[in-house]
Amino acid sequence: MSFSRFLLIMCLSSVLVACGFKLRGDHSLPAGYKHLHVESMHSHAPLKRALNKRLEIYNIVPVVDMAKESHVHTITITLAPEKLERRLLSVFSTGQVAEYELILGVPYTVKFGDNDLIEAYFEVVRDYQDDPDQVLAKSRELELVLSEMRREAADRIIRRLSSQSTTRI
């Protein structure tokens, strides 16, 4: 490998590091925070379960008992009930619904240590084709699509946490 090629690679690498670029799979808590606590109005909410599973994948251990941990170094995520909407996209010639747009609204708040609450909201959108002749298969497919949407929502929450400071989400 020539010296000029090596120099070019080193310059590009230093530019990427200087601008704060991180690989997408590299999720960690912001600097200064050691613990993460997830709260929900319902203890077995599907989004809370999905978020806890995704935290395990990213090697972030959620705090279960907040009484034992310092609030100063803890991020608290409070999940509000998710909102699922279905919009009609198309119909068959018989007038039956052929396709829906599923919209999963995810409202939540984040508290970095003893700072103020930060409210956040985003939507995950998917198209879903309905077939009235295959009701059982389509109901199972709908469950899988909703599960995938919650998994994407959990990933988005983690990405936002790992890239945000206490000032904004």
Side-chain angles (χ1 to χ4, degrees):
M1 180 155 69
S2 70
F3 180 72
S4 61
R5 180 177 275 178
F6 175 74
L7 187 60
L8 178 67
I9 291 172
M10 292 304 294
C11 287
L12 288 175
S13 298
S14 62
V15 167
L16 281 176
V17 170
C19 76
F21 175 78
K22 288 172 51 173
L23 290 175
R24 187 175 174 131
D26 183 25
H27 298 288
S28 59
L29 297 179
Y33 296 97
K34 300 176 184 174
H35 308 287
L36 177 71
H37 178 66
V38 179
E39 296 177 344
S40 177
M41 293 178 74
H42 305 289
S43 61
H44 298 292
L47 183 57
K48 182 179 179 182
R49 286 193 314 248
L51 183 57
N52 284 330
K53 283 182 185 177
R54 301 309 287 177
L55 290 172
E56 288 177 18
I57 290 172
Y58 295 122
N59 294 323
I60 300 172
V61 180
V63 174
V64 179
D65 187 9
M66 280 298 290
K68 296 180 180 179
E69 299 300 333
S70 166
H71 293 279
V72 176
H73 301 290
T74 303
I75 299 172
T76 303
I77 300 173
T78 305
L79 300 171
E82 61 192 36
K83 300 170 187 170
L84 181 64
E85 295 179 37
R86 292 189 329 177
R87 278 192 213 150
L88 179 69
L89 290 180
S90 63
V91 293
F92 292 116
S93 60
T94 61
Q96 291 179 313
V97 176
E99 190 175 16
Y100 288 107
E101 182 179 53
L102 299 173
I103 304 163
L104 181 70
V106 181
Y108 66 100
T109 59
V110 178
K111 186 172 182 179
F112 288 90
D114 291 331
N115 296 323
D116 294 333
L117 287 175
I118 300 170
E119 294 185 10
Y121 178 84
F122 63 88
E123 294 178 342
V124 180
V125 180
R126 291 283 186 283
D127 289 348
Y128 172 71
Q129 295 180 350
D130 199 10
D131 185 358
D133 295 332
Q134 298 179 1
V135 175
L136 290 176
K138 284 300 180 174
S139 66
R140 177 66 182 140
E141 182 183 348
L142 179 60
E143 289 175 20
L144 291 172
V145 169
L146 289 174
S147 174
E148 177 187 312
M149 291 171 76
R150 288 183 183 108
R151 190 170 40 249
E152 182 181 329
D155 283 340
R156 235 189 249 188
I157 291 170
I158 295 168
R159 278 196 308 270
R160 283 183 173 188
L161 278 182
S162 65
S163 66
Q164 299 299 328
S165 67
T166 59
T167 56
R168 57 183 263 260
I169 273 226

